[in-house]
Amino acid sequence: MRIMAQMAMVMNLDKCIGCHTCSVTCKQAWTNRTGMEYVWFNNVETRPGLGYPRTYEDQDTWQGGWELNKKGRLTLKAGGRWKKLATIFSNPKLPSLDDYYEPWTYDYANLTNAPAQDVFPVARPMSLISGKPMNIRWSANWDDNLGGSQEVAIKDPMLKGIEDKVKFEFEQTFMFYLPRICEHCLNPSCAASCPSGAIYKREEDGIVLVDQDRCRGWRMCVSGCPYKKVYFNHKTGKAEKCTFCYPRIEVGIPTVCAETCVGRLRYIGLMLYDADKVLDAASVEDDQALYEAQCDVFLDPNDPAVAREAELAGIPLDWIEAAKKSPVRRLIQDYKVALPLHPEYRTMPMVWYIPPLSPVVDVVKETGHDAESKDNLFAAIETLRIPVEYLANLFTAGDVATVSNVLKKLAAMRSFMRDINLGEDPDEEIARAVG
Ligand code: SF4
Ligand code: SF4
């Protein structure tokens, strides 16, 4: 056993209001520089939607998929004559400017100096690259608030195979927000694909960083990260990525995105894990077993044997104590209500999500209530407005049973707390039913 500590984050998606405060404050802190105009270490996606950069989740297109190599390890797959090169350099497809967006500013002179006319003038978008007026076709928040009812949302790769379950009628459509940062993976493919060895995972807390002096601008990390969370700085010619605000973490304050989050939905904390188990867990062949495999890698610091081993491994005592109390650990390990984003990418991501609990379509239609009455609480999970299959495609590689179980726990907790808040006796049976 090789015990290591890892900084991790859990986001409760039911609480995200899509205000983008996290993205803006992160940008002000980290990427407010020339060459980084299009870069969002933190972005907030509207789901269904194409994400940012566009369709990064369509791994068949971006990565060519995954395959087991001769040594039984999973590697990125690519087709045709590029295959050999792609295996060495992760994959041949790099996001283009069109997949991000062409950065622009506004020409306010167009607004203030416009002559009297029939139509009210607007500030025109001007390209920061060419300096010319532009027609904007795509941006980081392009599908914001489209709510699954528009053509672009229907192209969401996560809807593949469940199109017939998704209703695009106005009253039954669904949407939610998915804030994203770098996953600070236990098995970071960005680091594995860097020919210069510039990307490293910090021994003490697992934060993944780019050594700016060693980076030679190959950009293999950009294509090698399945979450597309490394960016190329066009001014410096180096790769940059989310740093988990390590200078703040080192002095005991949270990341900028967590501190400024309007919904207070980001939990930060330490996890302990067995580094010897990581590669085997990432190589589990059955996609749907990956969530459990990753959970098996985590260790419980409340176990005296684990705490003793952690101390011997050099993890500071106050860190071990922090891991015991960590809200992240409790949500992932004790309550099992948080799930990893795309475990099938096999990088062992460490930003996890509590999936959104949406209203139940049929019950809403029939009663006008939001289905939290005890009678239909569990029976209705299958008819949630957000199809369980869609959430499963995001968080469990299609394992519907695991997501349903989490949703039932969340529904039970909400019903239980509602009773308490109303001054009624909570129904103990609900708690027992979800374990
Ligand atoms: Fe690297 Fe991407 Fe994982 Fe971040 S999300 S650690 S950039 S592979
Ligand atoms: Fe969501 Fe919080 Fe970001 Fe607002 S600040 S978009 S609530 S994660």
Side-chain angles (χ1 to χ4, degrees), residues 16-22 44 179 261-263 265-266:
C16 180
I17 59 170
C19 62
H20 301 274
T21 307
C22 47
V44 183
C261 173
V262 172
L265 59 98
R266 293 172 184 241

Side-chain angles (χ1 to χ4, degrees), residues 72-102:
R73 297 282 184 227
L74 272 151
T75 50
L76 292 163
K77 187 169 73 174
R81 65 196 174 92
W82 286 103
K83 183 166 175 145
K84 200 165 172 208
L85 197 61
T87 311
I88 299 167
F89 290 135
S90 296
N91 78 75
K93 184 152 195 271
L94 201 63
S96 69
L97 190 60
D98 281 348
D99 296 316
Y100 297 106
Y101 64 95
E102 190 175 335

Side-chain angles (χ1 to χ4, degrees), residues 180-403:
R180 292 204 305 125
I181 60 171
C182 161
E183 298 279 342
H184 297 276
C185 308
L186 297 183
N187 179 31
S189 55
C190 57
S193 57
C194 174
S196 308
I199 301 193
Y200 62 102
K201 188 166 177 63
R202 295 211 308 188
E203 287 262 320
E204 64 270 38
D205 55 16
I207 292 174
V208 176
L209 297 172
V210 184
D211 181 335
Q212 293 293 294
D213 290 335
R214 295 186 78 170
C215 176
R216 293 286 172 270
W218 288 96
R219 284 172 278 181
M220 301 304 170
C221 52
V222 181
S223 47
C225 168
Y227 299 91
K228 294 290 165 281
K229 274 297 174 190
V230 195
Y231 300 86
F232 186 64
N233 182 329
H234 295 278
K235 179 81 175 169
T236 63
K238 313 263 183 185
E240 293 194 35
K241 63 179 288 302
C242 159
T243 63
F244 212 92
C245 290
Y246 75 88
R248 294 169 60 95
I249 295 286
E250 284 174 1
V251 294
I253 49 177
T255 61
V256 170
C257 58
E259 183 162 35
T260 59
C261 173
V262 172
R264 316 309 285 164
L265 59 98
R266 293 172 184 241
Y267 301 87
I268 294 177
L270 276 172
M271 298 285 289
L272 298 185
Y273 71 101
D274 182 353
D276 282 340
K277 282 189 175 174
V278 167
L279 277 184
D280 283 339
S283 303
V284 167
E285 208 168 334
D286 176 6
D287 281 354
Q288 296 191 5
L290 281 161
Y291 160 65
E292 286 298 337
Q294 186 160 353
C295 287
D296 284 348
V297 165
F298 300 135
L299 298 165
D300 185 357
N302 293 300
D303 177 343
V306 169
R308 199 167 46 246
E309 281 289 329
E311 205 185 328
L312 288 174
I315 297 174
L317 272 179
D318 53 341
W319 286 33
I320 299 170
E321 286 308 309
K324 286 181 189 170
K325 292 188 221 123
S326 157
V328 166
R329 190 196 65 73
R330 303 202 73 188
L331 292 164
I332 293 175
Q333 222 175 16
D334 293 350
Y335 304 131
K336 285 192 172 286
V337 290
L339 299 168
L341 180 64
H342 291 306
E344 73 276 19
Y345 296 170
R346 290 177 163 75
T347 59
M348 314 283 277
M350 286 308 295
V351 175
W352 288 36
Y353 294 89
I354 300 174
L357 183 63
S358 53
V360 180
V361 177
D362 293 341
V363 180
V364 173
K365 272 202 302 201
E366 279 164 27
T367 66
H369 296 306
D370 57 3
E372 283 166 24
S373 96
K374 295 167 195 115
D375 298 334
N376 49 34
L377 198 61
F378 298 137
I381 288 287
E382 306 311 325
T383 55
L384 284 172
R385 179 177 287 237
I386 302 175
V388 182
E389 290 87 350
Y390 184 80
L391 298 175
N393 284 348
L394 280 176
F395 301 118
T396 56
D399 172 10
V400 170
T402 298
V403 178

Side-chain angles (χ1 to χ4, degrees), residues 112-145:
T112 49
N113 300 341
Q117 51 191 314
D118 291 340
V119 185
F120 198 78
V122 292
R124 287 162 80 188
M126 307 285 290
S127 166
L128 277 174
I129 295 173
S130 67
K132 294 186 178 150
M134 59 189 286
N135 290 320
I136 300 169
R137 298 179 307 276
W138 175 254
S139 80
N141 302 321
W142 191 251
D143 28 41
D144 202 10
N145 295 345

